[in-house]
Amino acid sequence: MMANVDLALRGYFHPAAIQQHPWNFETCTRLRHLIQHIGNVDARAEVDEIFEHMSEIVIPRLQSLRHQVIHQDAHTDNILVDPDDATRITGLIDFGDLLYGTLVAEIAVACDSIPYGSPDMVPAAAEIVASFDSVLALEEQEVDLVFDLVCARNAMTATIAAARLALTPEQPVHIQSPLTFVDRLRELQRVGRADFTQHLRTACRFPVTCPNSANEALSDDEEARLVEARRSLLGRNTTHFYERPMHFERARGPWLFSTDGHRYLDCYNNVPQVGHCHPHVVRAIARQAAALNTNTRYLYSSALEYADRLTSKLAPHLSACIFVNSGSEANDVAWQMAKLITGNTGALIMEDAYHGVTDVIRQFSPGRPETPLPAFLKGLIVPDPYRGPFRENDPELLQKYAADANRAIAELDASGHGTAAFMIDSALCSSGVPDVPDGYMQAIEKKIRAAGGLMICDEVQSGFGRMGQWWGHEHHGVRADIVTMGKPVGNGHPLGVVVTTQEILNRFMDKTRLFSTFGGNTVACAAGNAVLDVIEQENLIERSRTVGDYLRSEIAQLASKHALIGNVRGHGMLTGLEFVTDRAERSPATSETARLLELMRQECVLVGSEGRDANILKLRPSLVFERDHVDVFVDALERSLDAL
Ligand code: PMP
């Protein structure tokens, strides 16, 4: 009911509503001089502590929250109900405390009626908050202050009751004994802010609270309980990063906030391309979800707007899309297309490629060069001029690496598969982001085309500005027949896209009529459109180039002091940093790299390792990274290298 009253009062104002009366939460510390009337010394101290907390912490926060005219006295004594049906509210009385105040105060007052002293106390408060929220959506900060306001309300009532008893004993008493409210305060303190607030947050489906400081960190026991639950519910082999798994509950821009009370600079995760929880993307998702969430079998403009905008970022021949849910699915569809269009059934990949998890695409993902491949797949030697078989000072480097495709194509022909496609991650991420020799991809493309195959450019890692331009295949100067996208497309909202020519798409659809229920749904398209907005508006492609170059130049400077740094390479916001124990031999510093990951974690910086010897740091921070963030990373790296 109170949410409806407050909705009705929205926009209403009268100068008389600026009331400084004693029940105003924001001026409650003025009651402090009356605390002396509370007889019991301990109780007095407890009440004073609440006023102190209000003054130092809560009131300053309230000031930035929503204000309007509110009733501010809706406890059960002021609510009228149907005598025949006590659950039916028929009226609200006593407008004497009505004032212009913080909206959430309405809830704190309504909590006067929760059954203190019973196990239902917290659930009842949660119910009040949730039912208010269902009519008038609460903000997270408001919910987080309810506990303090309920405490303050009891402290205020105890003080006012004690003062009235002492100063105006002749007046009729309509408030219970002051100590009743001190008892209530004690009960609230027994439950504690964290537990109480967690119940309210859950009732409104706000995520779990994230501690603001190490003092409030989640206990080791609680973390251990989660690890155990994860093992039993998600399987014992569900992997996690780091020896001791990280637990995050909040993120913003390049930062992740952990339940240990620290913030971590995220230099690893490439899904939040435009920064974690970018408000524009978050709002677009929420607004579309609130309006309509349905699939591409219906006509709606956002999918068409998105397809049009996305294809306009690619070469003109790439003008048609299929929406799916992930990078794996996009590659699966691309592979089906390649077989259908070429009539061949074999493919080339990098020998340590990763392309996803569907039944067939798992086979395109050997991860390591020695993994046996099925006969229809041939792995190419990774063109790595730093530690590959042919190195940067070899004048025939490019030809030697490219020649491996002749072998692979001949083998596919010999086995009767022929060449349907070369599926290539333009970033060569799973190979450790090698510095692919200029012209290598073009040389392979030529051979593929001569063999009748298509170029499937997997842009799951390299797309959307990661390499300092829109697409990684553009960096390599090749013409893609099919482009697959995943990960950053929706900045975390699931969306995969296959972009190809009209002809390929139409021939494929004639045959398959492929439809993905969630692929390209209205909410996913809203996310996709919002990601494009941010990349354009914040000039992130340009920033990816300049900040990425700065990152590599800063690391290169460190190399003069730290012999472990063997090689730094990359483009835009994709960097490979290779560690060696001996620069001449280029021997991989595998154990040192593993240790460095842990040391960097202690420095509150997240990185990951890559490559067959796990001696390469793969750095893929979001494109909103600035030079200041690079400095934080480089300082942490330097200290970690010193500590090795
Ligand atoms: N291709 C590449 C290059 C990838 O890196 C990945 C995921 N890491 C995928 C495809 C698969 O994407 P998803 O996990 O969304 O299925």
Side-chain angles (χ1 to χ4, degrees):
M1 176 185 66
M2 291 321 297
N4 278 314
V5 170
D6 290 335
L7 263 182
L9 284 170
R10 230 152 79 160
Y12 167 76
F13 184 70
H14 189 284
I18 306 283
Q19 279 214 57
Q20 300 298 339
H21 70 66
W23 296 103
N24 186 342
F25 284 87
E26 282 165 89
T27 54
C28 69
T29 51
R30 291 190 192 157
L31 298 174
R32 271 174 118 164
H33 71 282
L34 299 175
I35 291 176
Q36 53 178 311
H37 300 297
I38 300 176
N40 181 299
V41 180
D42 290 343
R44 212 181 297 157
E46 287 165 59
V47 168
D48 196 41
E49 212 174 288
I50 299 290
F51 286 134
E52 177 65 17
H53 183 67
M54 285 296 286
S55 153
E56 291 297 310
I57 310 281
V58 182
I59 293 173
R61 287 189 190 162
L62 286 180
Q63 279 157 6
S64 64
L65 297 183
R66 288 180 293 178
H67 282 64
Q68 65 164 70
V69 173
I70 55 174
H71 177 274
Q72 230 218 182
D73 207 9
H75 50 74
T76 42
D77 292 348
N78 284 340
I79 290 169
L80 307 181
V81 295
D82 184 341
D84 297 326
D85 175 6
T87 63
R88 206 174 77 80
I89 296 172
T90 54
L92 173 68
I93 58 168
D94 192 350
F95 287 74
D97 289 352
L98 184 133
L99 87 175
Y100 181 84
T102 170
L103 180 67
V104 65
E106 200 79 284
I107 292 179
V109 176
C111 283
D112 276 357
S113 46
I114 59 177
Y116 282 94
S118 112
D120 291 338
M121 176 179 92
V122 182
E127 202 179 323
I128 289 173
V129 171
S131 59
F132 191 100
D133 181 57
S134 68
V135 176
L136 204 174
L138 287 166
E139 292 175 2
E140 196 168 5
Q141 295 91 329
E142 291 170 334
V143 174
D144 285 351
L145 287 181
V146 169
F147 176 83
D148 289 313
L149 294 184
V150 174
C151 289
R153 173 78 175 175
N154 283 304
M156 288 154 76
T157 317
T159 309
I160 292 170
R164 284 187 185 164
L165 278 175
L167 302 175
T168 53
E170 70 287 356
Q171 291 207 358
V173 177
H174 72 278
I175 306 181
Q176 288 158 284
S177 141
L179 289 182
T180 310
F181 301 97
V182 176
D183 285 344
R184 289 180 173 191
L185 256 185
R186 290 176 181 155
E187 280 185 44
L188 288 164
Q189 302 297 341
R190 257 196 300 280
V191 174
R193 179 182 294 105
D195 252 27
F196 189 95
T197 305
Q198 194 49 58
H199 272 82
L200 307 193
R201 290 178 72 103
T202 306
C204 301
R205 285 282 151 227
F206 278 114
V208 172
T209 336
C210 195
N212 286 318
S213 73
N215 297 340
E216 299 167 21
L218 210 64
S219 72
D220 287 353
D221 285 355
E222 183 53 13
E223 292 286 2
R225 192 189 65 73
L226 290 176
V227 170
E228 195 38 52
R230 186 174 186 273
R231 200 190 306 273
S232 72
L233 293 167
L234 306 183
R236 65 175 180 274
N237 287 328
T238 310
T239 52
H240 51 66
F241 291 134
Y242 302 104
E243 257 169 63
R244 189 176 166 189
M246 306 247 22
H247 180 173
F248 297 112
E249 291 291 355
R250 189 167 282 275
R252 192 52 133 219
W255 302 102
L256 280 159
F257 299 91
S258 159
T259 50
D260 63 13
H262 292 111
R263 70 173 188 178
Y264 289 78
L265 186 66
D266 189 355
C267 302
Y268 178 77
N269 291 292
N270 59 342
V271 173
Q273 188 92 338
V274 299
H276 286 277
C277 306
H278 193 291
H280 182 66
V281 181
V282 170
R283 275 194 299 270
I285 291 171
R287 287 172 182 171
Q288 184 59 55
L292 173 74
N293 190 358
T294 190
N295 64 63
T296 52
R297 285 207 165 128
Y298 299 100
L299 195 60
Y300 48 85
S301 54
S302 59
L304 305 177
E305 180 195 354
Y306 184 57
D308 190 39
R309 286 179 74 186
L310 186 64
T311 52
S312 76
K313 308 288 182 207
L314 287 146
H317 68 283
L318 295 166
S319 59
C321 296
I322 288 184
F323 295 121
V324 287
N325 306 281
S326 67
S328 304
E329 231 184 309
N331 283 331
D332 193 299
V333 169
W335 175 233
Q336 294 179 50
M337 286 176 165
K339 282 190 295 181
L340 186 100
I341 298 296
T342 64
N344 295 333
T345 55
L348 266 56
I349 54 173
M350 276 298 139
E351 59 187 352
D352 55 5
Y354 182 85
H355 293 288
V357 296
T358 67
D359 194 23
V360 67
I361 296 299
R362 274 176 81 91
Q363 303 180 69
F364 283 68
S365 307
R368 302 186 68 81
E370 62 275 15
T371 309
L373 289 172
F376 76 95
L377 281 178
K378 298 294 164 200
L380 297 186
I381 299 172
V382 174
D384 173 6
Y386 183 65
R387 280 190 60 232
F390 317 115
R391 301 213 169 156
E392 72 275 12
N393 48 8
D394 184 337
E396 292 189 357
L397 174 78
L398 163 61
Q399 292 77 3
K400 286 182 179 168
Y401 277 122
D404 195 36
N406 299 338
R407 173 210 42 100
I409 290 170
E411 284 174 14
L412 283 180
D413 284 343
S415 65
H417 286 290
T419 304
F422 175 38
M423 186 179 283
I424 179 70
D425 160 13
S426 309
L428 273 78
C429 228
S430 54
S431 313
V433 197
D435 204 3
V436 177
D438 283 348
Y440 168 83
M441 287 293 179
Q442 289 163 326
I444 304 287
E445 182 194 352
K446 230 170 159 180
K447 295 174 197 293
I448 292 294
R449 295 207 184 281
L454 302 183
M455 288 289 285
I456 300 177
C457 296
D458 177 339
E459 295 280 353
V460 171
Q461 293 278 346
S462 54
F464 295 89
R466 169 64 51 197
M467 292 175 70
Q469 53 195 106
W470 269 99
W471 311 108
H473 70 273
E474 287 173 353
H475 165 82
H476 295 294
V478 296
R479 181 187 198 274
D481 298 296
I482 306 173
V483 173
T484 58
M485 306 171 190
K487 285 191 162 190
V489 193
N491 208 48
H493 191 88
L495 176 58
V497 192
V498 181
V499 186
T500 186
T501 64
Q502 298 282 340
E503 195 212 337
I504 294 179
L505 181 80
N506 288 331
R507 281 180 59 193
F508 176 71
M509 289 305 276
D510 287 348
K511 181 92 196 285
T512 64
R513 305 241 173 261
L514 182 123
F515 166 69
S516 159
T517 301
F518 291 136
N521 67 57
T522 43
V523 178
C525 289
N529 271 316
V531 169
L532 296 183
D533 293 342
V534 178
I535 294 178
E536 288 167 4
Q537 286 160 11
E538 298 187 13
N539 206 10
L540 293 184
I541 307 272
E542 167 73 18
R543 204 198 292 183
S544 164
R545 268 198 300 274
T546 53
V547 179
D549 285 347
Y550 175 64
L551 168 67
R552 285 180 290 278
S553 73
E554 289 296 290
I555 297 173
Q557 292 210 9
L558 272 191
S560 57
K561 278 200 274 169
H562 291 279
L564 201 74
I565 298 180
N567 185 245
V568 53
R569 67 244 175 182
H571 299 277
M573 275 302 200
L574 179 70
T575 298
L577 171 53
E578 184 144 8
F579 295 116
V580 291
T581 49
D582 178 330
R583 277 188 181 164
E585 294 295 319
R586 299 186 178 177
S587 3
T590 304
S591 60
E592 291 81 353
T593 306
R595 172 112 184 86
L596 207 67
L597 291 192
E598 286 293 340
L599 288 168
M600 292 292 277
R601 173 199 167 132
Q602 287 163 27
E603 292 284 342
C604 294
V605 173
L606 302 183
V607 287
S609 67
E610 194 52 275
R612 66 194 62 171
D613 295 308
N615 66 321
I616 302 164
L617 285 196
K618 179 171 69 171
L619 305 173
R620 308 171 301 185
S622 71
L623 307 192
V624 297
F625 239 57
E626 295 181 13
R627 288 164 78 102
D628 287 353
H629 301 118
V630 170
D631 294 340
V632 172
F633 167 80
V634 173
D635 288 349
L637 178 64
E638 182 162 21
R639 278 193 298 274
S640 304
L641 286 166
D642 286 341
L644 256 185

